[in-house]
Amino acid sequence: MAEFPTTARVVIIGGGAVGVSGLYHLARAGWTDCVLLEKNELTAGSTWHAAGNVPTFSTSWSIMNMQRYSTELYRGLAAAVDYPMNYHVTGSIRLAHSRERMQEFERAKGMGRYQGMDISILGPAEIKARYPFIETHDLKGALYDPNDGDIDPAQLTQALAKGARDLGARILRFTPATGVSRRGGEWIVHTAKGDIRCEIVVNAAGYYAQKVGEWFRPFGGRTVPMMVMSHQYLLSEEIPEIADWTREAGHKLPLLRDVDVSYYLRQEKNGFNLGPYEPNCRAHWVTPDDPMPDDFSFQLWQEDLDRIEDIVTDAMARVPLLGRAGIAKVINGPIPYAPDGLPLIGPMPGVPNAFEACVFTFGIAQAGGAGKVLAEWVTEGCTEWDMWSCDPRRYTDYTDHDYCVAKGKETYGHEYAMHFPWHEWPAGRPKKVSSLHGRLAAAGAQFGAYNGWERANWFARPGDDTSEEATRTWGRAGPWEPRIRAECEAVRDHCGILAITGFTRLRVEGPGARDFVDGLTASRLPKPGRIGLAYFPDRRGRILTEMSVMVHGPDDVGLITAAVAQWHDAEILSRQAPEGITVSDHSREVECLLVTGPKAREILAPLTDHDLAAPWLSVSPAGKVAGRDCALIRVSFAGELGWEIHCAPEDAPAIWDAVTEAGARPFGMWALNSLRIEKGYRAWKGDLSTDYSLLEGGLERFVDFDKPRDFPGKAALLAERERGVRKRFVTLIVEAGEADAPYMSTIWHDGGIVGETTSGAWGYRVGASIALGMVRADLAVPGTALEVEIYGERRRAVVQEDRPLWDPSNERLRA
């Protein structure tokens, strides 16, 4: 028997498909001194009872990338590691009952084409040709994915394990980790068999991830945002007709998903596997009378068929053969859920040299891609694809137990739901409300959640339809549309006021604080008394983040960034801060009101002693508005004359009352999105992401190559500048129909895909549909005619001049 390892470079806790894939990919990257710990046998958690479906479909660009990579890996894995596997690439058919569902499918088809996948749309007759046992009389069509299929989860895990072992990595079965400690900047992972000293620890503990996560709380960690759902699937008895069809066709039936009813139906040998996602769902281990056991390896719960009876009945009507067979077996096992149903892959928030690869709802489909992403995070500190959708830091301090349970159940019960741009999921809210919440609600605010904070998206008037049902559209038209238009016009012609609650506010202090921040950004920092945008690249020159910077002195720098970037951006600073430099978070201490429009000065003048003649980008730190202490910053993301008023939360209501009584009209985040896109202002993790370099993102004017200090990615950006960019940021005017371009709409030229949109909206000041995006560099020429594919329809688009569409000279901003 091999000697117990007392040291390793990386220790992975958890031996499911994801953890083992992480070990395999680390070993492939050359990090062979890695150890995986599993309390029981490999696959003992969710992996062993997983159905093993392997879809590529997603309307998330990053998730589609990850799942596509999995299918590509699995096709060649058996040969690569010399381990036989049952992997059936059967294709899949997703059924659509509505036009809106067909639009969603068209969007996914476009994204899949961009990633090299041959996804197609089927009509009802074509569905029947591929799946003869189905009833199609009430269907609009379907999405066909030829790369979909199923795999044996145990065989997949063992194949990955063999590959990892062959490369030199270690797997210790029946070796439960019992805790962690730190010594000399290294981790000590405790087990019943001894301790392992290592540089890096990975929490890949599946539905036990929250328990493992608690070990890291003394070292800066938090409670892992997750819960556990009961998921059932049924295995039927064998059906002669399926056996006969399979024998004649030479392959299995495509995997069928009726996403509007919420189930999948897969051929299992010569019978069926039916997996429902029922709205009447059940969570486990969430109450004191149902505690999580210390070990639930290879265990299941009692079946509960009453919960899924309606879905089973519907499936039998859709595929009558199913109704002729009895139920041979029911699987009812635990599946972990994050609040949005997406996994946690990346740096463990607040904890040095620790990562998460856990809470996978679709772990088999995503295991291959997750292993790749984890290995990149660990070995390179960055990932090929921007993976913010799965980054553990996307959740902050609001994800308490009740929130995670409510959201997990909501997500499970709507597993196949369409995520419309105007729809807000209500469960678990509100979590964080501002001192202005009552006033906003009284004014008709319809709220959205931003890092847990409730902000007004738009303001309804009496009689407006504010139901959830009204928001189930991809189109621009809805009760909100005339209200957004009026809000934008008020900002254009008079003055608007917007409560931007929850801005992330960071303070960097200590000897040399300014120099420290300066060394992390490609941008030149503003002088004291001014505010400026600063862009922070990674070592590849890609866009990590954007922050507004105020230098208070050589030892004191303030930064403001997006609400949802709170933990992400704080760690960009804190993880690199030298001894003596502190990074503190003051986000809850300040409220922000944006007062903007051509009459903003006129409205504020009687209310303040601040100097309203101070120029654009100036900071007035001390003064009053409506008799309340506040700072004024002369900026406006709306692109009009305006000021941000920064004040104590308890003073915000008095300032709001005074400004609105003086004539400013409340407007919401959706109007702000329209206004900012007319100015070409980028949005975080849409237009600004690590998928693009600063030069590709059109941010050259913010890059100072002559700074006395080097910055991350400088060499990469210099090399890119020398050879020329591959893509370039553009603003497009689109001849859109009823819908504007969503994120990651494909851009076409001469019959080929040449780029993608990063955001889109109707511009009410310019009277046109606008898209921001990235296109092949040679096409980023003003006047170039392109096409933007919007929910399956290619719409003519024209590249605009590299300047704002609205007020291109910024005269209104500077007035």
Side-chain angles (χ1 to χ4, degrees), residues 596 636-641 675 679 681 765 806-807 812-813:
T596 185
S636 172
F637 202 52
E640 299 284 352
L641 170 69
L675 296 163
K679 294 292 292 182
Y681 295 159
R765 290 177 298 193
W806 176 253
D807 186 25
R812 295 169 71 96
L813 270 176

Side-chain angles (χ1 to χ4, degrees), residues 3 6 125 223 327 380 389 396 427 523 565 594 713 728 733 780:
E3 185 177 341
T6 57
T223 297
I327 297 173
E380 302 176 33
S389 66
T396 62
S523 306
L594 172 61
R728 188 169 291 279
I733 293 290

Side-chain angles (χ1 to χ4, degrees), residues 8 99 309 402 425 481 492 575 594 599 648 679 713 776:
R99 176 175 178 266
E309 181 180 359
D402 290 345
W425 294 100
E481 197 276 338
R492 179 194 67 190
R575 286 182 185 264
L594 172 61
K599 301 294 185 181
K679 294 292 292 182
R776 207 174 67 204

Side-chain angles (χ1 to χ4, degrees), residues 708-768:
R709 289 179 183 81
D710 280 345
F711 54 84
K714 181 176 180 179
L717 290 168
L718 284 169
E720 184 180 27
R721 185 173 68 170
E722 179 68 23
R723 69 176 179 267
V725 296
R726 181 175 55 91
K727 288 182 175 182
R728 188 169 291 279
F729 179 86
V730 293
T731 299
L732 303 170
I733 293 290
V734 187
E735 295 177 7
E738 63 185 26
D740 303 305
Y743 174 68
M744 283 296 168
S745 297
T746 49
I747 300 175
W748 294 75
H749 179 71
D750 284 347
I753 297 174
V754 296
E756 69 275 1
T757 63
T758 52
S759 56
W762 186 268
Y764 291 97
R765 290 177 298 193
V766 300

